[in-house]
Amino acid sequence: MSDLIAPTKLTKKDFETDQDLRWCPGCGDYSILANVQRMMPELGIPREQIVWVSGIGCSSRFPYYMNTYGFHTIHGRAPAVALGVKVANPELSVWLATGDGDGLSIGGNHLMHCLRRNLDVKILMFNNRIYGLTKGQYSPTSELGKVTKSTPAGSVDQPVDPASFALGVNASFVARSIDTEAQHLGEVLRRAAAHSGTAFMEIYQNCNVFNDGAFDAFTDKAVRAERQVRVEHGKPLLFGANQEKGLRLNPRTLGLEVVNVGEGGVPLEEVLVHDETNPTFGQLLARMPFPEFPVAVGVLHASLRPTYDGTLRAQQKAAREKLGQGDLGKLLRGGSTWTI
Amino acid sequence: MEPVSPSPPVAEHPSREVIRGAVVRFAGDSGDGMQVTGDQFTAAAALARNDLATFPDFPAEIRAPAGTTYGVSGFQVHFSSQDVFTPGDAPDVLVAMNPAALKTNLKDLKKGGLLILNSGTFNATNLKKAGYEVNPLEDNSLDGYTVLSIDITKLTVTSVKDTGLSNKEAHRCKNFWTLGLMFWIYSRPLEPTLKWIESKFGKRSDLVAANIAALKAGHAYGETAEVFQHRYEVPAAPVEKGEYRNIGGNTATALGLVAGAQLAGLPLVLGAYPITPASDVLHELSKHKQFGVTTIQAEDEIAAVCAALGASYAGNLGVTSTSGPGMALKMEGIGLALSVELPLVIIDIQRGGPSTGLPTKTEQADLLQAVYGRNSEGPVCVIAASTPGNCFDMAIEAVRLALKYMTPVILLTDGYLANGAEPWRIPRVEDLPKIDVKFRTDPAGFHPFLRDPETLARNWAIPGTPELMHRIGGLEKDYNSGHISYAPDNHERMVKVRAAKIAGIANDIPPLTMEVGEDSGKLLVLGWGSTYGSIREAVQRCRDRGLSVSHAHLRYINPFPSNLGEVMKRFDRVLVPELNLGQLVKIVRSTFLVPAESFAKVQGQPFKISELEDKIRQVLES
Ligand SMILES: Cc1ncc(C[n+]2csc(CCOP(=O)(O)OP(=O)(O)O)c2C)c(N)n1
Ligand code: SF4
Ligand SMILES: [Mg+2]
C-alpha cells in the first residue's frame, strides 16, 4: 500500500543551510552543530516540524545554520519566545540554543521559569565561560578572579554552575556534555530529544579566541579519564583509566568522597550507583568541586512530570468539553442586557 | 376586643419628581465597599435604561489605614434620560461615609447639592485622622448644602442584629444600607441587587440575610423617616434600537480581542504580567479558553511580549497587555516584532507616571513612548480608544491591522476608560467584518520577506509548513532574499520600506470627521483617547452659546488619518487638550507645521467639562 512507503530518510546534509558559517575557525560551536545535524535525522521528525529558537551571542547564531524553522530573537529571551511558540503549536519540536551569558545573565530569569514550568523544549547551553560575541568579557560561569577586558584586576563575582542552577529550580532533565566528544554529545542529545519536558543540556564549548583551553583540565585526552566521571543510570560512579576510582557517599558529611576501588581500596558495592531519577544525585554530582573531584558528565537527572504546554492544552480541552465551542454572540451578551 | 379601625389611605409620600438626570458620588474608606455600591447603583440606572458614565477613583493601596484621607475610595456615576458623555464634573449628590471622605470630596459637590453623611463615624478619632479641628457637623461649614446626617452605622447594626453577624461583619453592611436609601431616593427596584447579593454571598447564608436586611432597612428609612422632600425618577434615555449591556473599558478590550481572533479564525495567545490597571484584561481573557484563547501569566513583561511574539511566529494571534512601566520593559520585544514583521497586538492601559507614578489614576503620557519608544527607526501602528465601548472596536481594529500589515499595533487606552463604564449597544456578530488571513504555503519563489506590493506586508509562513523552512531574526535582512545583510544601501531600503508600510496604513483607515460642529471655523478642538466625552460635551456647550468651535477626535495616531493636515487648515486655530504635557500637539506641530496650541493637565484626573469650556472661551477671546 502506498501510504506504507517510508518517507525518504533524511541525512545530515538535509539539515545544513546554504548560509556561510560565521564562527571563528576552530570554535567549539562547529562540532556542536555537526553533532546536532547528525542526530536530527535520527529523530524521524520532518524538518518543517522543528523550530530552533535562540537569543543573542555567538552560540545563538545556531538557528541560521539549521535547515529547519528558526528564530534568532533578542538577548536572553529565547525561552520566553519559545514559550509562545510551543503553546501556540504543541506539535512542534522546539529547540533552543543559548550561551552562558544569554541564558544565565540577561536571560537567567526566563531560563529559571522555563525549567520550573517544564515546557516541552530542549535547551542547549553553550558554556564557554565567556562573552564571545562582545569580544571577551567574563560571564556568570567564569571562574572567580577571571582577568578579562572588563575585569583587569580579576572578576569579583562567584560563578554559577548551570547544571546545579537547573536542578535547583526543579528541572526535569539536566545533562552535561562536551563540544568535542562526538559520541557522548550525540548520546546526550538523543536522550534530551526523547525526554518529555524541558531538557537542559550544558555543553562545555571552547572559545578558542577569548577563553581558549578553558576546559582542557578535564577534557584533554591525556587527563579526561582521571578528571571526568561519565554518569549512567543504574551504573556505579566509576572513573580513572581503569575505572579504578569511584564516588562514595559519606553518611556523616552527606557528601561524596573519592575512593579507590578493588584491590587495596573499597569493594565495588560501596560505590554509589547513579540514580538519574533522584535529583539529589544530580545535585551532588553537579556540585563536586574541581579538581578535588572529577567533572560529572552525562545525564545527571531525568524524571517525568506533566509539561506546561500539555497541561494548558488539557485545560483548554476541558473548557471546550464543558462549555462547547465558544459562541461569540453569547459572549458579547454576557451579564444583564436590555433591549430597546 | 376593641374594633380595629381601618388604616387611613397612605398618600404617596413624598412626591415623585421627574428629573433629567444626576451625578452621584459615593465616597468612603477603601474598606467601605464603595466600588460595589457604585457598581450596583450603576446597574440599576442601566436597567432603567438611563444613559450613563462612571468614574471609579480609588487608592493604590488595597486597604489603606482606615479613616485616612489617602485611603478614601470614590465612585462617581452620571445617569440621565439624555445622552451622557462623561461621569460629570461636579456631583449633585455626595454620599460621604466618614470624615475623611467628606474632607476630600466636599470641594467637588455642587453648591446646594445633597450631602448624605454617616454621622456615626464622626467621632474624635476619625475627625482627627481626617484633619478636622472642629466637627463639621457642628460648625456652619456645611451651610451651603442640603445636609442629611444619618447614623448609618447604628441603623445598619440594628437592622442586621438578628442575623448573628459579628460586630465587625455587621459594620460591613453599611454600604448596602446606604445603597437601599439611594435606591429609594431614585425610585429604583431592589430586586436585581437582592439577586446579586444572593449569588455573591451564596455560600454564607448569614451574609446574604444581613446584606439584604441592610438594603431593605435603608430603603425603608427613606420611606418612613420623613426627611426627604423629594423622590426622583429619571426616565429612560432615547437611544438607538438594539440590545444593550453595561460595559467597562477593560472588558470591552478583552471582548474585542476575542472577537478579533474569531473573525480572523486564529487562536489567541495573551502574554501578560499583572499590573494595575491592566490586569483585568488578563483576568477576563483567562475565562474564555473555549474560544481558543490561551493566557500565559509570564514571569515579567519582557517574557510576556516575547511569548506573544513567539505565538504569532507559530501562526496564532499574539497579544500582550500592560500599563506604563510594563510598556517600557516590552520595547525591545516590540522592536524585534517590527524587525521580523510579525503581527502583534500590544495594549497599553496608561496610568500616571513616570516610574510607578499613580498606579490607579489615569494619564495619557505614554503617547510618545508608543510612537517613538524603540531604539533606531522603529515604526509601529498606534491607535487609541475614546470610550469604554469604543475599546471593543479598537481592539478588533488592532487585530485587523496587525494581521493585514504584519506589524505590531499598539492600542492605547487608560485607567479612566479601563475602569469606567457605559451602556453599550451589543453588535451583531454577523455585522462584524471577517478578517482575512493567508498563510504562505507555496514554495515557488518563496523567501520570508517577500512583500505584498500593495500593503508591503511580508508573507507569513509558519512552522509546520513543508518546504518553507526559513530563519528570521533581528539582524538586518536582505530585501531580495531575507538573508542576513549588512549592506549599507540595503539597510536604508529596509528602514524605508518598514516606514512606508506603516505610513500606508493611512489609506486603510477612516478619514477624520467632526464629532461636533462644522468642518471649518474659528477653532478646532483636536483630541485623542479618553478625553472624548469631556471635549465633546464642552464643545457642544460652547456651541450652544454661539461660539464657532468644532471637535474632531483621533483614534489613529500612527499613521494619522490622511486628511488630518487638511482638516486643521480649515480652522483659524487648533487646540489640543491632553492629559500630559503636550505630546500629541508635539507630533501634530512637527508633522504639519501648524501652530496648534496645547491644553495640558497632568493630575491623574480626567478633564472637567468646565475646564475645557473655560479654555475654549479663553482661546476664542484671545
Ligand atoms: C540587550 C542587549 N544587551 C547586550 C547585548 C550585547 N551582547 C550580545 S551577545 C552578549 C553576550 C553573549 O555571551 P554568551 O551568551 O555567553 O554567548 P557567546 O557569544 O559566548 O556564545 C552580549 C552582552 C545585546 N545584544 N543585547
Ligand atoms: S568568539 Fe569564541 S565563541 Fe565566538 S565564534 Fe569565536 S571562538 Fe566561537
Ligand atoms: Mg559564552
Side-chain angles (χ1 to χ4, degrees):
Chain A
M1 269 174 3
S2 63
D3 59 348
L4 279 183
I5 294 171
T8 33
K9 194 135 178 5
L10 296 172
T11 64
K12 174 170 183 284
K13 238 182 148 40
D14 293 311
F15 284 89
E16 294 169 0
T17 65
D18 58 356
Q19 297 295 292
D20 294 336
L21 280 81
R22 300 193 189 198
W23 290 311
C24 308
C27 174
D29 291 352
Y30 283 99
S31 58
I32 300 176
L33 176 66
N35 278 297
V36 169
Q37 286 171 337
R38 246 195 310 275
M39 176 276 302
M40 286 240 127
E42 296 172 21
L43 301 179
I45 303 173
R47 288 174 300 178
E48 64 268 18
Q49 291 291 340
I50 299 171
V51 181
W52 277 89
V53 183
S54 67
I56 299 291
C58 296
S59 37
S60 289
R61 293 291 177 95
F62 199 90
Y64 287 113
Y65 311 132
M66 290 296 301
N67 194 8
T68 62
Y69 282 88
F71 197 172
H72 179 224
T73 70
I74 43 179
H75 200 18
R77 319 301 174 194
V81 174
L83 173 62
V85 173
K86 187 70 184 177
V87 161
N89 185 356
E91 306 298 314
L92 298 172
S93 172
V94 180
W95 294 70
L96 278 73
T98 183
D100 42 322
D102 189 67
L104 283 169
S105 194
I106 192 166
N109 190 30
H110 308 304
L111 180 60
M112 164 170 94
H113 292 284
C114 182
L115 294 169
R116 77 171 170 86
R117 286 184 183 121
N118 203 28
L119 185 74
D120 190 15
V121 297
K122 319 301 153 206
I123 302 175
L124 280 66
M125 174 176 283
F126 297 41
N127 184 5
N128 54 12
R129 294 191 181 158
I130 202 80
Y131 286 180
L133 192 66
T134 45
K135 298 194 164 58
Q137 301 83 3
Y138 81 107
S139 91
T141 57
S142 300
E143 61 279 12
L144 190 64
K146 181 87 177 170
V147 175
T148 69
K149 266 181 229 152
S150 63
T151 49
S155 63
V156 296
D157 32 346
Q158 192 70 36
V160 59
D161 177 76
S164 175
F165 162 80
L167 286 159
V169 297
N170 208 13
S172 65
F173 181 100
V174 179
R176 276 186 188 149
S177 193
I178 299 161
D179 53 3
T180 48
E181 301 264 2
Q183 215 189 330
H184 189 264
L185 179 55
E187 193 45 45
V188 162
L189 286 167
R190 276 186 285 275
R191 283 290 313 273
H195 180 72
S196 161
T198 314
F200 178 76
M201 287 159 274
E202 176 192 9
I203 303 167
Y204 296 118
Q205 172 245 325
N206 193 41
C207 167
N208 55 310
V209 174
F210 295 111
N211 203 16
D212 195 24
F215 309 107
D216 284 359
F218 62 91
T219 58
D220 223 62
K221 276 213 171 64
V223 297
R224 69 180 181 202
E226 298 295 321
R227 295 283 175 80
Q228 285 178 29
V229 54
R230 304 206 160 192
V231 308
E232 268 183 80
H233 182 62
K235 302 236 171 97
L237 293 160
L238 296 170
F239 63 105
N242 303 305
Q243 301 276 287
E244 75 285 7
K245 290 185 203 160
L247 296 171
R248 182 172 75 172
L249 186 73
N250 180 334
R252 254 175 310 189
T253 62
L254 287 182
L256 298 176
E257 57 191 16
V258 174
V259 291
N260 289 317
V261 186
E263 242 166 277
V266 306
L268 185 60
E269 298 76 68
E270 288 192 21
V271 173
L272 212 53
V273 174
H274 183 45
D275 178 2
E276 67 180 21
T277 65
N278 180 343
T280 306
F281 277 75
Q283 201 55 273
L284 283 170
L285 291 165
R287 296 184 72 99
M288 290 187 298
F290 185 83
E292 300 88 305
F293 285 83
V295 172
V297 295
V299 178
L300 303 185
H301 177 65
S303 60
L304 287 178
R305 68 168 193 269
T307 64
Y308 180 88
D309 38 300
T311 309
L312 267 188
R313 278 287 137 150
Q315 283 191 354
Q316 206 160 63
K317 194 160 160 261
R320 285 208 157 120
E321 271 160 19
K322 193 170 151 216
L323 305 165
Q325 203 74 9
D327 174 346
L328 187 58
K330 224 164 96 188
L331 176 69
L332 300 186
R333 267 179 268 112
S336 40
T337 68
W338 63 94
T339 304
I340 289 167
Chain B
M1 263 174 108
E2 276 187 314
V4 182
S5 60
S7 44
V10 189
E12 173 149 60
H13 161 85
S15 61
R16 273 189 215 224
E17 185 185 339
V18 175
I19 55 170
R20 181 173 145 168
V23 177
V24 172
R25 185 184 297 176
F26 297 93
D29 233 19
S30 40
D32 278 344
M34 291 297 98
Q35 302 305 319
V36 172
T37 313
D39 279 341
Q40 286 301 308
F41 192 72
T42 302
L47 282 179
R49 295 173 192 177
N50 298 151
D51 197 7
L52 61 88
T54 67
F55 179 46
D57 189 19
F58 42 85
E61 294 74 19
I62 305 301
R63 290 270 188 279
T68 58
T69 49
Y70 52 89
V72 171
S73 170
F75 188 104
Q76 183 162 314
V77 51
H78 177 193
F79 50 97
S80 174
S81 56
Q82 320 275 308
D83 281 349
V84 167
F85 295 103
T86 77
D89 283 5
D92 301 297
V93 180
L94 172 64
V95 178
M97 298 300 281
N98 69 1
L102 179 66
K103 180 93 180 183
T104 47
N105 288 280
L106 184 65
K107 60 177 188 319
D108 296 332
L109 181 62
K110 266 191 198 144
K111 284 284 161 261
L114 174 62
L115 178 59
I116 300 177
L117 294 164
N118 178 7
S119 62
T121 59
F122 281 66
N123 55 34
T125 323
N126 283 337
L127 287 166
K128 188 155 164 250
K129 274 192 205 160
Y132 279 115
E133 313 247 308
V134 193
N135 186 344
L137 302 182
E138 287 160 13
D139 60 14
N140 301 324
S141 59
L142 304 178
D143 277 0
Y145 309 97
T146 310
V147 182
L148 205 59
S149 168
I150 308 169
D151 191 343
I152 296 176
T153 307
K154 194 166 128 205
L155 291 167
T156 302
V157 172
T158 313
S159 71
V160 305
K161 69 174 185 304
D162 294 338
T163 58
L165 286 195
S166 69
N167 196 41
K168 191 171 156 204
E169 281 180 327
H171 274 244
R172 282 258 180 98
C173 302
K174 288 191 303 254
N175 62 332
F176 280 101
W177 193 98
T178 312
L179 184 63
L181 176 63
M182 294 302 288
F183 278 170
W184 181 84
I185 297 178
Y186 288 99
S187 318
R188 307 292 196 202
L190 300 184
E191 285 67 31
T193 299
L194 295 176
K195 276 213 194 94
W196 184 86
I197 291 173
E198 268 163 23
S199 72
K200 173 84 187 170
F201 300 105
K203 284 196 195 99
R204 288 217 27 206
S205 56
D206 53 342
L207 287 185
V208 172
N211 283 312
I212 286 178
L215 184 78
K216 286 185 171 165
H219 196 261
Y221 182 88
E223 191 73 43
T224 54
E226 303 200 359
V227 290
F228 294 95
Q229 316 302 321
H230 300 287
R231 222 181 148 176
Y232 301 108
E233 212 176 286
V234 179
V239 288
E240 235 180 302
K241 278 202 174 8
E243 193 177 3
Y244 284 78
R245 66 177 281 186
N246 223 16
I247 201 155
N250 273 351
T251 312
T253 300
L255 296 188
L257 292 170
V258 176
Q262 294 275 305
L263 293 169
L266 293 181
L268 184 157
V269 173
L270 174 83
Y273 187 76
I275 185 168
T276 303
S279 303
D280 280 340
V281 172
L282 165 63
H283 302 161
E284 180 67 30
L285 285 175
S286 66
K287 293 190 278 194
H288 304 309
K289 296 189 170 53
Q290 72 275 23
F291 289 89
V293 173
T294 305
T295 52
I296 299 173
Q297 182 175 318
E299 55 270 29
D300 60 22
E301 283 86 349
I302 300 173
V305 69
C306 287
L309 184 60
S312 284
Y313 171 68
N316 285 14
L317 172 67
V319 181
T320 187
S321 52
T322 190
S323 187
M327 194 63 185
L329 283 175
K330 288 183 195 296
M331 281 303 177
E332 196 195 4
I334 298 173
L336 175 64
L338 76 92
S339 169
V340 294
E341 302 187 47
L342 280 169
L344 178 68
V345 173
I346 304 112
I347 319 274
D348 178 7
I349 301 161
Q350 302 164 93
R351 66 187 215 183
S355 187
T356 307
L358 309 171
T360 58
K361 311 290 176 193
T362 200
E363 205 164 275
Q364 296 183 298
D366 289 356
L367 181 70
L368 292 178
Q369 180 181 225
V371 177
Y372 299 116
R374 277 131 331 257
N375 59 307
S376 182
E377 295 292 342
V380 300
C381 179
V382 180
I383 63 178
S386 55
T387 67
N390 183 240
C391 289
F392 177 81
D393 305 315
M394 295 317 281
I396 295 182
E397 192 61 349
V399 172
R400 176 183 81 88
L401 293 171
L403 291 169
K404 181 163 177 187
Y405 291 88
M406 295 290 281
T407 177
V409 177
I410 297 175
L411 169 58
L412 295 172
T413 78
D414 60 28
Y416 177 79
L417 295 177
N419 295 323
E422 65 177 357
W424 178 58
R425 195 159 78 104
I426 302 165
R428 294 177 348 151
V429 174
E430 315 80 88
D431 296 344
L432 299 172
K434 287 260 172 299
I435 297 171
D436 196 28
V437 177
K438 278 197 204 75
F439 295 126
R440 172 88 185 204
T441 53
D442 181 8
F446 170 77
H447 78 77
F449 286 83
L450 272 180
R451 292 172 194 282
D452 178 307
E454 202 178 309
T455 61
L456 298 179
R458 77 170 181 97
N459 52 187
W460 193 7
I462 61 171
T465 315
E467 304 303 317
L468 296 189
M469 287 87 68
H470 64 274
R471 276 63 55 191
I472 57 170
L475 289 168
E476 188 59 282
K477 295 141 272 275
D478 180 64
Y479 183 91
N480 293 310
S481 68
H483 291 322
I484 299 173
S485 163
Y486 304 137
D489 290 350
N490 176 72
H491 175 52
E492 190 163 279
R493 185 174 189 190
M494 289 298 282
V495 165
K496 285 183 174 166
V497 81
R498 286 187 288 260
K501 182 176 79 166
I502 300 301
I505 294 175
N507 304 320
D508 197 8
I509 58 177
L512 188 65
T513 54
M514 292 301 133
E515 306 291 339
V516 181
E518 298 83 22
D519 63 3
S520 64
K522 285 208 176 113
L523 179 65
L524 172 70
V525 183
L526 180 67
W528 71 277
S530 70
T531 53
Y532 172 81
S534 329
I535 298 177
R536 183 178 168 144
E537 187 68 35
V539 168
Q540 187 58 55
R541 288 186 195 176
C542 288
R543 290 180 57 82
D544 292 347
R545 263 185 264 109
L547 300 182
S548 168
V549 54
S550 302
H551 171 206
H553 213 74
L554 287 169
R555 289 172 188 83
Y556 299 84
I557 293 171
N558 198 38
F560 285 129
S562 48
N563 64 339
L564 173 59
E566 184 203 319
V567 166
M568 287 191 294
K569 271 197 215 128
R570 294 198 297 259
F571 289 86
D572 296 348
R573 292 168 80 171
V574 177
L575 178 68
V576 183
E578 295 174 85
L579 301 175
N580 58 46
L581 285 183
Q583 300 195 1
L584 176 68
V585 80
K586 206 171 251 153
I587 307 180
V588 163
R589 284 189 207 180
S590 66
T591 310
F592 299 101
L593 296 178
V594 292
E597 296 160 63
S598 169
F599 183 41
K601 175 176 180 180
V602 205
Q603 300 176 0
Q605 298 290 331
F607 278 116
K608 290 200 155 94
I609 298 164
S610 57
E611 288 169 342
L612 288 163
E613 271 184 272
D614 291 349
K615 180 71 190 181
I616 292 168
R617 228 175 304 141
Q618 185 199 321
V619 170
L620 283 173
E621 281 161 13
S622 66

